[in-house]
Amino acid sequence: MAGTPQETYASDGCRYQPIADHGLIGDLRTVALVGTNGTIDWYCCPAFDSPSVFAAILDAERGGAFELATAVPARTKQFYFPDTNVLITRFFTEDGVGEVQDFMPIGEDAVETERHRLIRRVLCVRGALPFRVRVAPRFDYGRRAHTVRLLGDAAVFESPALSLALTSTVPLESDGADVWGDFKLTEGESAVFALDQVDARLAPRMCARAEAERQFATTVAYWRHWLSSSRYRGRWREMVHRSALTLKLLTYAPTGAIVAAPTTSLPERIGGERNWDYRYVWVRDAAFCVYALLRLGFSGEAEAFMKFVTQHIIPGDGGPSGPLQIMYGIDGRTDLPEQELDHLEGHLGSAPVRIGNAAADQLQLDIYGALIDSIYLYDKWAQPISSDQWDNVCDLVDWVCDHWNQPDEGIWETRGGRKNFLYSRLMCWVAIERAIRMARRRGLPADLAHWMKTRDTIYRQIMRRGWSDVRHAFVQHEDGDVLDAALLMMPLGKFIAPTDPKWLSTLDALTQDLVSDSLVYRYDPQATPDGLRGAEGTFSICSFWYVEALVRAGRVDEARLAFEKMLTYANHLGLYAEEISLTGEQQGNFPQAFTHLALISAAFNLDRALG
């Protein structure tokens, strides 16, 4: 639970921190993962999808890390400074207690923002403690050599494409590649380390204790002011607000883009090949994020994403997979070539490590429903869309009317060939239905007769070919008998009444086949091969969809129990990766926006049902 600090041992000697043993800090441009042992082992600069500087989470030897901890064995606990994204790691030893405050300042002027400053402030709060710091960057995923220059209280790391300056209030030593230092603090004393991007405009600048204190206060004030806009006052406020703060951290402020996750290649199964780069804008994920943020009252983020859509996604160029790609770069670019980094061993040896994502070229028809639904909600809850935006919506809906009845790769981005996935049909129905609602509510021009005829045709086909008399359930693809958790969206998308007998039978079938202790598998890869080897864990967004489907079906007690169980699978800070293993470990890229937005939606609807 978010309110229970994680306890680990800083001197356990393990090469890899578990995925869940991390907290997240960021500056709305990039992020860093900080382990419970005090090590930053994931950091890309200057943006989410830039090459890594620290990537020990993907290769403990060659990835690079920023280590900061007591020089003696310690128990550690980690928590967020209340209502912020400032992370605190505490060290408990026989001789005293110390803590490291990690944050990336927000609220500075435009030029200073480009430093992407990362501050690590160390305090001794009781007794006296020895500390050790070691900064070992490995630029460009460990592919680029660098040099180090010591300049008084600063060390400048220089590589061909990026230079970073580490300023310190304690003496540093260097071997030409890394820097380190040993120091001792007594009660009330502190030390400060700041890592900045430097270039011709940004010279190294000392981050003294007073400046660190000021930037700490500014950053705390920023996050608390932002969170104060939340309208959520329900039973699970701490978890919902942590999810909201996490979604905000996954926002790229310069464009309004929202990344699916800030990491790449964290394995969906240890030792498996299901390792993907999620540092991009999935149309589906980002559109669902808009729904979650609007639910809480954060209309500014929704407006920023709509601007990203208008400038970079609509209108599209009409590529081989239609007018939309399924994902874009955070700057709107469409070229995301996938490659494998053979020199990195992967988290716990889980190769390959991939950057880029070949799924960008897939056809996934469901994204049109997700996007147009988010536009519909924005138009309804935030502010009316413009005439140009409506023209773009019409173009997309007309395309969906002409192309909905074809096989695609589906929501799960399978690499086993295209199929007539029912979820894709469902979301094409959503795309058209939401556009019809907008047109009618605002009197906007539209070919309503054609849209309504196509909408009804899709409905009839889903009911006829998506229903299995053998399984007494709706199924993954037309004329099949395999179940799929994506169909939990049928009542959530208002396609079918949540108490319809056919839906209740489907819900029972899903519960029987795909649910384990409230956790939900996406599908059975043995029954429906997806082109990849090995099994996977349960998919956390599906588990929250399941909660919401139970709520809408009137099974509120079951829903509440399932929701409370899901909360026990969060990490110590209330964060979720993409999947959960058989033994309850977090798997996949971390933290995942998809999961946190589904948590918000489930909590909101469960609260409303409980009254």
Side-chain angles (χ1 to χ4, degrees):
M1 298 291 291
T4 306
Q6 172 76 2
E7 181 173 308
T8 62
Y9 287 84
S11 59
D12 63 5
C14 181
R15 294 176 67 240
Y16 287 94
Q17 285 282 103
I19 292 171
D21 286 3
H22 290 87
L24 187 75
I25 61 173
D27 64 355
L28 307 184
R29 286 158 177 81
T30 189
V31 299
L33 288 182
V34 185
T36 53
N37 61 354
T39 296
I40 295 176
D41 56 14
W42 179 253
Y43 175 59
C44 299
C45 187
F48 289 106
D49 56 357
S50 298
S52 65
V53 175
F54 304 127
I57 199 168
L58 295 177
D59 193 309
E61 305 300 327
R62 293 176 288 272
F66 188 155
E67 301 170 5
L68 181 56
T70 56
V72 295
R75 293 179 297 109
T76 69
K77 293 184 178 182
Q78 198 175 59
F79 68 100
Y80 279 111
F81 200 76
D83 295 333
T84 78
N85 281 313
V86 174
L87 187 66
I88 298 177
T89 307
R90 309 199 90 200
F91 297 83
F92 299 84
T93 77
E94 293 182 356
D95 299 316
V97 179
E99 68 180 39
V100 176
Q101 300 172 348
D102 284 308
F103 63 99
M104 296 179 71
I106 297 181
E108 301 297 308
D109 63 62
V111 174
E112 288 300 304
T113 298
E114 297 307 309
R115 287 186 182 275
H116 303 288
R117 170 164 278 184
L118 196 164
I119 292 179
R120 313 201 71 186
R121 187 166 67 158
V122 192
L123 298 89
C124 180
V125 296
R126 298 183 69 183
L129 290 174
F131 288 88
R132 178 168 297 157
V133 61
R134 174 177 172 268
V135 184
R138 298 294 181 264
F139 292 91
D140 191 19
Y141 308 104
R143 296 182 295 188
R144 296 281 187 178
H146 69 275
T147 59
V148 178
R149 291 184 293 123
L150 290 180
L151 302 173
D153 294 320
V156 179
F157 303 93
E158 294 177 306
S159 75
L162 178 68
S163 294
L164 299 175
L166 175 73
T167 59
S168 168
T169 58
V170 302
L172 299 172
E173 299 180 63
S174 174
D175 61 2
D178 306 339
V179 301
W180 63 87
D182 291 283
F183 57 100
K184 188 170 184 177
L185 299 177
T186 58
E187 189 168 323
E189 292 183 327
S190 65
V192 174
F193 303 91
L195 189 67
D196 296 348
Q197 179 183 11
V198 292
D199 55 30
R201 292 185 310 144
L202 298 168
R205 195 186 80 189
M206 187 65 183
C207 182
R209 292 176 181 84
E211 181 170 353
E213 177 69 30
R214 177 181 62 80
Q215 293 191 324
F216 178 92
T218 299
T219 303
V220 165
Y222 172 88
W223 288 117
R224 288 182 168 173
H225 175 74
W226 181 81
L227 192 61
S228 68
S229 297
S230 171
R231 294 197 297 252
Y232 183 80
R233 299 293 183 270
R235 295 165 176 80
W236 298 282
R237 187 174 178 183
E238 187 175 3
M239 291 296 291
V240 167
H241 282 175
R242 179 50 51 198
S243 291
L245 284 162
T246 301
L247 292 180
K248 180 64 172 175
L249 274 182
L250 300 183
T251 302
Y252 185 65
T255 65
I258 304 171
V259 297
T263 56
T264 181
S265 301
L266 294 183
E268 296 176 17
R269 178 175 178 269
I270 300 300
E273 65 173 344
R274 299 169 185 266
N275 313 322
W276 314 109
D277 192 346
Y278 277 14
R279 299 171 297 159
Y280 306 114
V281 186
W282 264 255
V283 172
R284 174 195 312 111
D285 299 43
F288 284 155
C289 279
V290 168
Y291 163 78
L293 292 169
L294 282 173
R295 269 292 186 206
L296 299 180
F298 296 110
S299 57
E301 286 66 32
E303 181 178 359
F305 178 68
M306 285 301 148
K307 288 181 179 178
F308 177 83
V309 168
T310 302
Q311 294 174 6
H312 301 293
I313 297 181
I314 301 175
D317 297 326
S321 295
L324 300 185
Q325 282 194 181
I326 72 162
M327 74 181 83
Y328 296 80
I330 55 176
D331 56 357
R333 71 186 187 281
T334 57
D335 187 24
L336 307 173
E338 183 174 300
Q339 60 178 300
E340 296 183 2
L341 303 181
D342 297 332
H343 65 288
L344 297 178
E345 72 172 8
H347 181 75
L348 288 171
S350 302
V353 171
R354 294 183 173 97
I355 56 174
N357 201 309
D361 296 326
Q362 289 188 353
L363 173 64
Q364 296 180 19
L365 293 169
D366 65 280
I367 64 174
Y368 295 90
L371 180 62
I372 293 176
D373 186 51
S374 72
I375 295 172
Y376 161 76
L377 293 172
Y378 179 76
D379 181 80
K380 181 180 179 181
W381 291 347
Q383 62 181 11
I385 62 172
S386 69
S387 56
D388 286 342
Q389 288 172 320
W390 175 246
D391 288 342
N392 291 328
V393 168
C394 290
D395 289 342
L396 290 179
V397 174
D398 288 340
W399 186 91
V400 170
C401 287
D402 292 338
H403 295 87
W404 67 268
N405 196 19
Q406 60 180 306
D408 69 347
E409 276 86 5
I411 181 177
W412 305 131
E413 296 170 12
T414 59
R415 300 196 178 190
R418 294 181 177 181
K419 297 178 182 177
N420 292 314
F421 288 107
L422 201 65
Y423 181 77
S424 299
R425 301 286 185 269
L426 167 70
M427 296 307 287
C428 285
W429 179 91
V430 168
I432 301 170
E433 198 274 340
R434 299 304 191 269
I436 292 171
R437 288 193 190 194
M438 273 191 285
R440 284 177 165 167
R441 186 169 59 84
R442 292 186 49 198
L444 296 169
D447 190 354
L448 286 177
H450 177 53
W451 289 4
M452 291 170 62
K453 181 179 180 181
T454 306
R455 178 199 63 183
D456 295 348
T457 299
I458 296 172
Y459 178 91
R460 296 297 182 193
Q461 182 160 318
I462 289 175
M463 299 302 287
R464 184 178 70 254
R465 298 181 58 186
W467 173 262
S468 169
D469 288 326
V470 174
R471 300 304 304 271
H472 299 289
F474 291 104
V475 289
Q476 183 183 67
H477 53 83
E478 292 180 354
D479 305 319
D481 58 10
V482 176
L483 299 179
D484 191 321
L487 300 182
L488 290 163
M489 281 294 294
M490 293 181 77
L492 276 58
K494 303 187 184 305
F495 175 86
I496 192 169
T499 54
D500 186 290
K502 283 191 171 182
W503 171 249
L504 293 177
S505 179
T506 300
L507 185 57
D508 288 339
L510 291 169
T511 301
Q512 178 69 31
D513 278 29
L514 296 181
V515 178
S516 172
D517 188 42
S518 83
L519 302 176
V520 182
Y521 291 94
R522 294 189 291 183
Y523 52 86
D524 180 356
Q526 303 303 316
T528 176
D530 55 13
L532 297 166
R533 296 188 301 273
E536 62 175 8
T538 56
F539 215 65
S540 293
I541 187 175
C542 297
S543 300
F544 287 117
W545 283 349
Y546 179 62
V547 169
E548 195 163 341
L550 289 172
V551 170
R552 292 172 186 261
R555 293 156 60 173
V556 179
D557 287 343
E558 289 180 58
R560 184 168 188 175
L561 180 59
F563 187 76
E564 294 287 1
K565 284 183 176 181
M566 267 304 295
L567 297 187
T568 70
Y569 288 103
N571 85 338
H572 57 290
L573 298 168
L575 304 180
Y576 289 88
E578 184 176 26
E579 300 185 11
I580 296 171
S581 74
L582 183 64
T583 56
E585 299 296 323
Q586 303 273 357
Q587 296 181 151
N589 286 307
F590 174 87
Q592 193 203 32
F594 227 174
T595 301
H596 286 280
L597 66 91
L599 183 155
I600 291 170
S601 182
F604 183 91
N605 286 285
L606 183 54
D607 263 319
R608 186 166 57 181
L610 289 168

